[in-house]
Amino acid sequence: MDINLIFQIAGIGIVVAVINQLLSRAGRDEQALLITIAGLIVVLFILTERIGELFESIKRIFNL
């Protein structure tokens, strides 16, 4: 596993958390929720790409 992937996901989490707190304190809870969901979707897209690469590696290793 690449350490950059962990840093990338952690960076997205930190940015989303900061924006979420700023919007919540400004009274914009709906936008804060949307930002949180958008951050989650971005991370899920990154992970699904990596999981696809993992399955391709497994297929290549076992000659499937």
Side-chain angles (χ1 to χ4, degrees):
M1 184 195 307
D2 192 16
I3 193 76
N4 290 330
L5 175 66
I6 296 171
F7 287 143
Q8 188 177 22
I9 292 172
I12 292 170
I14 291 170
V15 169
V16 167
V18 168
I19 293 173
N20 189 356
Q21 287 297 317
L22 290 173
L23 289 173
S24 292
R25 292 178 191 239
R28 299 179 183 244
D29 293 327
E30 293 84 14
Q31 283 107 358
L33 179 64
L34 289 175
I35 291 295
T36 303
I37 292 171
L40 179 65
I41 290 171
V42 168
V43 169
L44 287 175
F45 276 130
I46 292 170
L47 289 178
T48 54
E49 180 181 325
R50 294 295 180 142
I51 289 171
E53 292 174 7
L54 173 67
F55 285 146
E56 289 298 320
S57 296
I58 291 171
K59 285 169 63 176
R60 191 173 53 250
I61 289 170
F62 292 112
N63 293 324
L64 297 176

